[in-house]
Amino acid sequence: MVLVLMISCDKAAEICNKSQYDEAGFWEILKLKIHVFYCKHCKTHSKKNTQLTALCNKANLHTMSVSDKEALKKTLEKEL
């Protein structure tokens, strides 16, 4: 069971990024927490990733709608 919970740093970074967008499942988050407990580098990465997420949420960023993107794309193609 313990070997199943052990993950590489690459996998930890992947799960960390997924959790930033609420795409990580319970078991992935558990594996990440175990890995971060003993890996200093991933702990730092996870902390900075959490800070980045908080800053983005605080900034209240919005993306363009699909229709706005299409309109911009058509305008750019016409100009070129």
Side-chain angles (χ1 to χ4, degrees):
M1 178 71 173
V2 174
L3 291 177
V4 175
L5 296 176
M6 302 298 282
I7 57 174
S8 67
C9 291
D10 288 336
K11 186 67 176 173
E14 179 185 327
I15 296 170
C16 184
N17 292 335
K18 284 175 67 174
S19 69
Q20 180 179 5
Y21 299 105
D22 295 323
E23 297 173 352
F26 172 78
W27 288 111
E28 287 179 315
I29 292 171
L30 180 63
K31 290 176 186 180
L32 176 63
K33 288 184 181 198
I34 291 169
H35 183 86
V36 165
F37 180 74
Y38 67 83
C39 181
K40 176 184 172 185
H41 299 291
C42 290
K43 183 175 188 173
T44 301
H45 174 77
S46 181
K47 183 177 180 181
K48 288 183 178 183
N49 210 20
T50 301
Q51 290 172 339
L52 176 62
T53 301
L55 286 172
C56 288
N57 290 339
K58 186 177 179 181
N60 199 20
L61 301 174
H62 299 283
T63 59
M64 293 175 69
S65 68
V66 175
S67 60
D68 287 343
K69 287 179 187 178
E70 287 298 320
L72 180 60
K73 183 178 176 181
K74 287 178 183 177
T75 302
L76 289 172
E77 286 174 350
K78 190 166 81 173
E79 293 293 323
L80 294 175

